[in-house]
Amino acid sequence: MLQKTYLHSDWEFAEKSWPGGKVATVQTGWLPAQVPGHVHLDLMAAGIIADPFERMNELGCQWVDRADWSYKTSFEWAPKEGCPKRVLNFEGLDTICSIFLNGELLAEHDNMFVPLEIDVTEKLVEGSNDLRVDFQSAVRVGEERRAEYFAKNDIKEDTLWFEERAFVRKAQYMFGWDWGPRLVSCGIWRPVCLIEFSARFLDVHIESNVDDALHGRYDIASALEGRGRIVHVMEGRGWAIEGDGVLRGEGLYAYENEQLWYLDTAHWGDKVVSYLLPEGMEIPNLGPATYDDAFDWEDRNAQLSSRALDQSVRSVGFAQCKLLREPDQWGESFEFEVNGEKIWARGANWIPDHSFPSIIDKARLRDRLEKAKDMGFNMLRVWGGGLYESDDFYDLCDELGILVWQDFPFACSYYPDDEHWQEIIKNEAEVNIKRLRNHPCLALWCGNNENLEMHHNRWGGERQPPRYFGENLYNNILPALVAELDPKTSYIATSPIGEGEGAGGEGPKDAKRRGPNSDGYGDQHNWDVWHGRGDWRHYTDSKGRFSSEYGFASSCSLSVWNKTLAEEDWNPHSPVVQWHDRTSKGHDTFHGFVKLHYPEPVTLEDWVYYSQLNQRDALRHGVEHYRRSEFCRGSLIWQLNDCWPVQSWSILDSDGNYKALAYELRRLHADTLVSFESQNENVKVWLVNHGNEPDSGKIDVRAVHLGTGAVLRAWTSEALESEPDSIQLALEFSIAGLSVPDTILIARFADHLPSPSEEGGVSGVAWQLLGEPKNSRFAEPCDLLFSSSVEGFLMLKLKAPVVDLMLTSEGDPSPFLDNFITSEAGIVWVRISSLPGLIEARSLGGAHKVKVTRSPL
């Protein structure tokens, strides 16, 4: 029986002198350390540095990244019967380090993304064993390697976009980004354990296939260390095979209720358990199970588990996903197909969820990913400046039915790509492809983020290197490994990718006319708006085939500012608030973008409110444009999450709070979408269906007076039949004669009227002000009466129309599952996660007084 002993107790750390090999403790001596962890977290716990997330403390701890650090512990060990082999397993070391056991150097390691395993069968001593890990400064080593590589390759020292981070295989965002701090750090960031065994699985590869009749088949192959018999079991299904081979289930894997798995995820996935049994062990009778025989099946399954030498559990599912790139009337398509059905991808980009990734656990991931599902996501792009995420991340995406576009961890940089580095990357990629390839959520491998775009458009000007360093990795090493180890999954060399940029990375056919980020071909990073023309109205100029990055920035929530600022920082223009703005626009420009549409923010509360509304408006404009465009097949917003308290493009702030955009995405990502398109006095209303089921009904549009609530005009479409994957113009009318500052348009798909049990009463409604919010005349803010008589809801009685009613409790929006509410007068249902003791309310009309009653309204 394989035994794991986690070595997470009694660690200590100290600063280390280098070279010399001896640990030089600072005056305090060795201090307690947390494993898994990072040195910054240990220094904070010891009171040596302040929290770098607060105020401008990030600046005060930059010295940490130029020091070397040592970690040590001791553990007891005695031989175990039946476990003659023993290995030390480090799941993640960050990054450049040496490992010592009882004073003997066992190994050196140099890759945050690759586990390290050391055979200690002959190294352990009975009784106490001393384990030590010495880390070198990634910053200093990166600088030394850069200088050596530049000299060898005749690269000028002042070359841009080829910094020290490119020479250390470590999460690149930790060196600082335009949304994140520079906290390079080091540490034992994933679990470490002692594994003792006689035989074990090294790898179990499960490849799924679906035929035209929707019958499923798994091809399974296992790699072992030691000797034993293998039994693969489809858990809960009652099918088993001995050894490598094929697991079949005729008819068991048809789409649930004839719907694709990403719409109805309850049964789309399953698990295969692979048992490694002692040779000669009798295998229980494992035939097809029936529901009546379920207990007996579980009992026989338990017999295998209890007597196995090792076992491996893998999530599996019949999600045959591939990227289609085919010539068409607009250029070349870029769309995903799942089990033969083309999908419209809806989601965002994912960055590591904390500056110190050891903190990210499964509960935190579940919170973020369930929120993504709530917002209608069916895809996340794991961005190339971050990590190959944890097994928990991909397991949760499997469970929730969220496809994963996985970048290899290269971003916005040139990278060394000679034979030495090709071998390093080959090993790194092989380990991680094998780890991730079984996950049914995996939709795409991508070689890097924006590196070809950077080279093609000469981001460094005259200070760029003589060639595209890194191309040997993205065009040769990585596609060859994907083709060998995970041939079912598509690969692209870079994002954004242009015409002709296939797995081999051949250049654009007409590089001068169409680069890797052009309209008509490949995916597009639409930063021409935020980093270019500024006003979000320009999103409608894009003809991108798949918008894989685009975003508009906003503030985090007030509750996050409460944790981050001191009293003297509490205004929208303070140096500390500006320090927590990494949007690369400059303070005045960022504020100017908001003031194009919203009033001048006077207080920090104003800035939070108006900037989040402007972000919501921007992405509403963008998503609706892409969804009603025949040429576009996906929208991945930049970005879902944040790694620290910051003003950025995120949908969720660093505490996981919904910004205004998040609530609106439920509507924007719904299969059936109603959207307005306005040009001067002409208004078009579109009906879009990106589901796989038909829809029907009429669209009702009302022009409502903002002050009185009077219905000024009304329009109703003909009866509409909305077929799957269809876009149709439902209504077209003129608003001539209506008072622009006093009018709001409200549209409902008539057969989809919301109710308390569905969308909280408001999130399914499309609306549009005729004028800019800063120039509109809203009703005076009335007193709001809430009833808490129905568990899980607040019932709100409105006396007049309200636009963008924001509800918080001490600045915290999290108790309110529905928020930023726009509605006519009447009853509105608001879902809540808990009943807060204090409710604050403001709308575009101003601040509202709030009363709560337990009685029904």
Side-chain angles (χ1 to χ4, degrees):
M1 187 71 177
L2 181 145
Q3 296 191 34
K4 284 187 177 182
T5 305
Y6 285 94
L7 306 177
H8 294 165
S9 301
D10 302 322
W11 283 88
E12 296 176 304
F13 81 110
E15 190 176 355
K16 185 183 188 309
S17 64
W18 203 282
K22 295 182 178 180
V23 174
T25 57
V26 294
Q27 289 183 348
T28 55
W30 289 88
L31 296 168
Q34 184 72 37
V35 170
H38 278 86
V39 68
H40 283 82
L41 301 175
D42 295 326
L43 290 166
M44 287 165 56
I48 295 173
I49 63 171
D51 187 341
F53 286 8
E54 295 178 4
R55 304 201 76 210
M56 298 169 72
N57 295 339
E58 173 195 354
L59 287 172
C61 57
Q62 293 301 302
W63 64 271
V64 174
D65 296 327
R66 290 199 166 272
D68 301 310
W69 299 93
S70 185
Y71 281 75
K72 70 174 184 177
T73 190
S74 297
F75 61 94
E76 297 292 318
W77 176 81
K80 296 177 179 63
E81 184 178 355
C83 295
K85 290 277 291 182
R86 299 173 276 276
V87 296
L88 273 176
N89 181 277
F90 293 87
E91 292 185 26
L93 290 162
D94 180 17
T95 293
I96 305 162
C97 59
S98 303
I99 297 88
F100 298 83
L101 181 67
N102 298 322
E104 178 185 354
L105 176 63
L106 293 185
E108 294 181 336
H109 193 63
D110 194 8
N111 197 314
M112 183 180 183
F113 308 124
V114 176
L116 172 66
E117 195 165 89
I118 309 168
D119 188 336
V120 292
T121 302
E122 305 299 329
K123 303 291 185 181
L124 291 172
V125 297
E126 191 164 358
S128 180
N129 288 263
D130 297 326
L131 179 62
R132 193 177 89 237
V133 183
D134 290 346
F135 291 97
Q136 296 187 57
S137 163
V139 173
R140 190 189 65 251
V141 172
E143 290 171 345
E144 293 168 355
R145 291 175 179 174
R146 179 181 187 268
E148 181 181 350
Y149 193 85
F150 275 30
K152 181 178 179 181
N153 291 274
D154 196 24
I155 303 172
K156 294 180 179 178
E157 173 61 30
D158 66 350
T159 297
L160 297 178
W161 301 100
F162 206 173
E163 305 306 324
E164 85 280 12
R165 65 178 173 88
F167 296 86
V168 182
R169 291 310 297 150
K170 173 181 172 63
Q172 302 285 272
Y173 81 106
M174 299 176 80
F175 290 82
W177 221 265
D178 58 4
W179 37 258
R182 182 178 172 91
L183 297 167
V184 180
S185 206
C186 68
I188 304 170
W189 76 284
R190 280 182 168 165
V192 53
C193 65
L194 176 66
I195 304 175
E196 302 175 81
F197 60 96
S198 61
R200 61 172 174 164
F201 287 113
L202 295 177
D203 182 50
V204 176
H205 182 202
I206 305 169
E207 188 169 356
S208 62
N209 296 281
V210 181
D211 64 21
D212 293 338
L214 304 182
H215 296 156
R217 160 184 167 138
Y218 292 115
D219 294 295
I220 306 176
S222 302
L224 306 177
E225 179 180 2
R227 299 176 63 86
R229 303 174 65 186
I230 308 168
V231 174
H232 302 291
V233 173
M234 171 68 81
E235 192 173 59
R237 296 291 195 191
W239 295 85
I241 57 171
E242 184 174 358
D244 292 350
V246 177
L247 226 171
R248 289 187 181 87
E250 296 271 326
L252 288 174
Y253 312 108
Y255 301 147
E256 184 75 4
N257 299 324
E258 298 184 352
Q259 293 187 16
L260 291 176
W261 62 266
Y262 61 86
L263 296 176
D264 186 354
T265 64
H267 300 96
W268 80 277
D270 230 309
K271 292 185 183 296
V272 167
V273 185
S274 300
Y275 298 105
L276 180 61
L277 305 175
E279 291 186 313
M281 173 184 167
E282 180 182 350
I283 301 175
N285 179 28
L286 293 171
T290 65
Y291 289 105
D292 295 336
D293 196 29
F295 177 79
D296 189 33
W297 162 257
E298 290 175 2
D299 181 61
R300 284 175 285 177
N301 198 15
Q303 291 182 48
L304 292 175
S305 178
S306 65
R307 301 180 63 186
L309 296 172
D310 190 13
Q311 68 183 63
S312 172
V313 182
R314 293 287 187 269
S315 297
V316 294
F318 291 105
Q320 303 290 313
C321 184
K322 60 183 178 180
L323 175 65
L324 303 179
R325 302 184 64 195
E326 300 167 340
D328 58 22
Q329 66 267 44
W330 298 288
E332 183 182 75
S333 68
F334 192 103
E335 65 182 327
F336 289 89
E337 180 183 87
V338 179
N339 292 346
E341 296 286 340
K342 295 177 180 179
I343 70 165
W344 212 96
R346 285 154 269 183
N349 289 259
W350 171 270
I351 66 170
D353 202 53
H354 200 280
S355 291
F356 306 117
S358 62
I359 282 179
I360 306 169
D361 59 14
K362 189 169 186 177
R364 186 183 180 102
L365 290 171
R366 178 174 289 280
D367 174 76
R368 304 311 193 251
L369 295 176
E370 286 184 346
K371 287 172 177 172
K373 194 67 180 177
D374 174 58
M375 290 182 270
F377 285 27
N378 60 21
M379 180 175 282
L380 281 170
R381 174 180 175 234
V382 178
W383 167 75
L387 304 160
Y388 305 94
E389 287 289 336
S390 66
D391 292 337
D392 288 337
F393 177 90
Y394 302 98
D395 286 342
L396 287 165
C397 288
D398 291 339
E399 174 190 328
L400 296 169
I402 298 174
L403 293 170
V404 173
W405 164 330
Q406 177 69 52
D407 282 5
F408 286 95
F410 303 90
C412 301
S413 178
Y414 295 96
Y415 285 88
D417 61 358
D418 56 19
E419 290 184 2
H420 169 72
W421 282 97
Q422 288 178 40
E423 284 303 310
I424 290 171
I425 301 309
K426 183 177 181 180
N427 177 61
E428 173 192 310
E430 180 176 351
V431 167
N432 285 284
I433 292 170
K434 287 182 176 180
R435 179 169 70 90
L436 303 187
R437 63 185 176 181
N438 289 332
H439 287 280
C441 66
L442 186 61
L444 180 70
W445 291 101
C446 175
N448 68 71
N449 172 77
E450 296 186 345
N451 293 355
L452 180 60
E453 165 78 356
M454 171 193 68
H455 178 69
H456 182 272
N457 287 323
R458 300 180 62 84
W459 288 7
E462 296 303 315
R463 296 170 63 186
Q464 68 174 6
R467 68 170 179 87
Y468 178 29
F469 281 89
E471 62 183 333
N472 291 328
L473 309 177
Y474 326 129
N475 300 348
N476 301 316
I477 298 299
L478 296 177
L481 283 170
V482 171
E484 175 190 354
L485 301 174
D486 189 19
K488 74 180 192 311
T489 305
S490 301
Y491 173 85
I492 60 174
T494 186
S495 177
I497 195 166
E499 179 183 10
E501 284 286 336
E506 65 273 16
K509 295 176 183 175
D510 186 348
K512 292 183 179 178
R513 186 166 63 89
R514 285 193 290 263
N517 202 29
S518 60
D519 281 341
Y521 297 83
D523 66 316
Q524 185 177 78
H525 292 192
N526 188 358
W527 289 112
D528 179 51
V529 175
W530 176 263
H531 287 304
R533 289 177 286 174
D535 190 358
W536 47 258
R537 296 189 183 280
H538 294 295
Y539 280 131
T540 51
D541 297 337
S542 169
K543 299 297 189 293
R545 308 308 307 274
F546 189 107
S547 193
S548 54
E549 272 195 31
Y550 67 114
F552 225 80
S554 69
S555 170
C556 53
S557 65
L558 281 173
S559 57
V560 171
W561 284 127
N562 275 324
K563 301 176 183 178
T564 307
L565 306 179
E567 184 177 353
E568 59 267 30
D569 307 325
W570 202 259
N571 76 74
H573 308 291
S574 73
V576 175
V577 168
Q578 293 188 50
W579 181 256
H580 288 262
D581 167 15
R582 300 299 169 88
T583 57
S584 303
K585 291 309 296 181
H587 181 70
D588 292 339
T589 303
F590 186 8
H591 276 247
F593 287 172
V594 176
K595 288 188 288 186
L596 286 172
H597 305 285
Y598 285 91
E600 174 88 33
V602 177
T603 66
L604 187 59
E605 290 86 349
D606 291 342
W607 175 242
V608 169
Y609 183 57
Y610 294 142
S611 68
Q612 288 196 15
L613 289 180
N614 197 52
Q615 179 194 37
R616 186 275 317 276
D617 295 349
L619 273 300
R620 175 170 60 192
H621 196 69
V623 172
E624 289 186 340
H625 163 67
Y626 286 123
R627 287 201 59 186
R628 64 176 178 253
S629 302
E630 292 183 282
F631 50 79
C632 185
R633 296 300 296 174
S635 157
L636 302 181
I637 295 166
W638 186 270
Q639 66 219 62
L640 175 61
N641 54 327
D642 269 328
C643 66
W644 78 311
V646 68
Q647 304 187 72
S648 79
W649 304 271
S650 69
I651 302 166
L652 306 174
D653 67 25
S654 58
D655 279 357
N657 296 313
Y658 282 31
K659 296 184 181 181
L661 170 62
Y663 302 99
E664 179 71 353
L665 283 176
R666 296 171 182 154
R667 184 185 71 83
L668 295 173
H669 285 164
D671 286 344
T672 303
L673 172 70
V674 176
S675 73
F676 289 104
E677 183 183 19
S678 300
Q679 187 172 11
N680 299 322
E681 294 181 337
N682 187 62
V683 176
K684 296 179 180 179
V685 182
W686 294 86
L687 182 63
V688 179
N689 184 347
H690 283 133
N692 68 321
E693 295 291 329
D695 215 338
S696 63
K698 297 180 179 180
I699 294 178
D700 292 328
V701 181
R702 294 149 65 93
V704 176
H705 192 281
L706 286 167
T708 66
V711 177
L712 305 174
R713 291 185 200 170
W715 303 266
T716 301
S717 73
E718 298 178 352
L720 301 168
E721 295 295 330
S722 177
E723 295 300 320
D725 213 11
S726 67
I727 303 165
Q728 58 185 304
L729 178 60
L731 271 174
E732 188 170 6
F733 53 85
S734 172
I735 57 171
L738 290 172
S739 173
V740 170
D742 297 302
T743 308
I744 183 172
L745 299 179
I746 299 176
R748 290 181 174 87
F749 195 30
D751 289 356
H752 288 248
L753 296 177
S755 68
S757 61
E758 295 175 356
E759 298 170 284
V762 290
S763 58
V765 177
W767 60 270
Q768 176 179 288
L769 294 171
L770 294 195
E772 296 289 2
K774 67 181 180 181
N775 299 325
S776 297
R777 293 190 284 258
F778 301 99
E780 289 295 319
C782 58
D783 293 350
L784 300 180
L785 180 62
F786 290 91
S787 169
S788 60
S789 60
V790 178
E791 186 176 356
F793 291 89
L794 287 174
M795 184 188 295
L796 168 61
K797 189 173 184 178
L798 292 174
K799 300 175 183 177
V802 67
V803 179
D804 280 323
L805 177 67
M806 180 179 72
L807 304 174
T808 57
S809 181
E810 298 184 21
D812 182 5
S814 63
F816 306 96
L817 303 180
D818 299 302
N819 215 329
F820 292 87
I821 295 161
T822 296
S823 178
E824 299 175 69
I827 298 296
V828 174
W829 292 86
V830 180
R831 293 175 299 164
I832 55 174
S833 59
S834 60
L835 180 62
L838 173 69
I839 298 178
E840 302 136 347
R842 72 175 293 174
S843 69
L844 284 174
H848 297 258
K849 294 180 180 179
V850 173
K851 294 182 180 179
V852 181
T853 178
R854 295 183 181 180
S855 302
L857 299 182

